[in-house]
Amino acid sequence: MTETFGAEFLVRWLAAVAEAVEREADRLTELDSAIGDADHGANLKRGFAAVAETLAKEPPTTPGAVLTTAGRQLISTVGGASGPLYGTLLRRTGKTLGEDERFDRTQLAEALGAGVAAVSQLGGAQVGDKTMLDALVPAVEGLRTSFGAASAAAEEGALGTVPLRARKGRASYLGERSVGHQDPGATSSALLFSTLAATARTEGAS
Ligand code: ADP
Ligand code: MG
């Protein structure tokens, strides 16, 4: 039987993301200080703390609404580029999940695929441009196989940004000097998917 998940699964995931981002904020900021403006950790810490707080206060009852609420919160609390980009990711994914009470892993992969396409459209970036998309695109592909495969693919994608030259976002202003550094946004995207896999494991899903 195919395992299905409800709204509370996504609320637990996003609460775990808030904790993970808090734990890793210094590392994310350090990466952003090398090729950006040293605010990625602070941006996401503020954003996901607000998301977790909103969801804890008034948890929406459908999975789609959990993600659209979270996305809206990110857009309104994060000033940097990553706020609207992650906000769009979650909003579009939530809208694609629709009004259903439950979803399975394949449906989540499809909805996240639509979310990732929206991120690419908003920011004009593609795989290879040294952005969060270098982790998000392979992660969604991996999710068609398993939560663990999604997490591993995101991590590999994030590590793969090191030799790339940034073509989008603040890091692109550095040109060749962006080579040799891991992209902060790809790193936080890998964190989103390792946390998703960990949340799935607590439900006995792989
Ligand atoms: P800012 O760049 O405004 O300071 P953050 O530091 O929070 O915002 O986020 C930086 C990250 O956002 C980058 O590491 C990159 O992964 C991602 N990013 C920036 N611009 C784009 C874009 N056009 N498309 C996709 N991701 C992007
Ligand atoms: Mg920054």
Side-chain angles (χ1 to χ4, degrees):
M1 212 181 73
T2 309
E3 180 154 16
T4 64
F5 308 92
E8 76 299 334
F9 173 82
L10 295 178
V11 171
R12 277 197 286 119
W13 171 44
L14 292 167
V17 168
E19 281 174 28
V21 160
E22 165 104 47
R23 207 168 49 232
E24 297 288 323
D26 288 351
R27 177 166 159 255
L28 295 174
T29 287
E30 208 174 294
L31 293 173
D32 197 31
S33 71
I35 57 169
D37 57 354
D39 63 356
H40 192 55
N43 282 344
L44 293 192
K45 212 162 96 168
R46 182 168 62 250
F48 281 100
V51 165
E53 195 185 328
T54 301
L55 294 177
K57 234 184 269 166
E58 241 175 278
T61 54
T62 63
V66 171
L67 296 184
T68 53
T69 300
R72 216 178 310 123
Q73 197 68 35
L74 283 180
I75 292 168
S76 64
T77 47
V78 179
S82 60
L85 292 164
Y86 277 134
T88 296
L89 173 71
L90 295 184
R91 270 183 55 175
R92 183 63 62 89
T93 302
K95 277 190 189 163
T96 308
L97 282 179
E99 313 264 287
D100 293 350
E101 299 279 330
R102 315 276 305 169
F103 63 89
D104 64 19
R105 180 173 45 71
T106 305
Q107 286 170 315
L108 182 60
E110 261 160 43
L112 276 166
V116 169
V119 170
S120 175
Q121 197 177 14
L122 176 66
Q126 313 284 340
V127 167
D129 288 345
K130 198 180 181 98
T131 71
M132 58 174 67
L133 287 166
D134 290 316
L136 292 175
V137 170
V140 168
E141 202 45 48
L143 191 57
R144 298 184 194 283
T145 305
S146 69
F147 287 103
S151 173
E155 182 61 29
E156 197 182 319
L159 292 173
T161 61
V162 174
L164 298 177
R165 174 188 174 147
R167 284 193 288 255
K168 291 285 169 192
R170 221 175 262 284
S172 67
Y173 308 156
L174 293 178
E176 275 300 320
R177 279 183 295 139
S178 65
V179 172
H181 302 279
Q182 187 167 325
D183 180 62
T187 307
S188 56
S189 289
L191 204 57
L192 289 185
F193 279 89
S194 62
T195 307
L196 181 66
T199 307
R201 270 198 306 276
T202 65
E203 299 242 329
S206 59

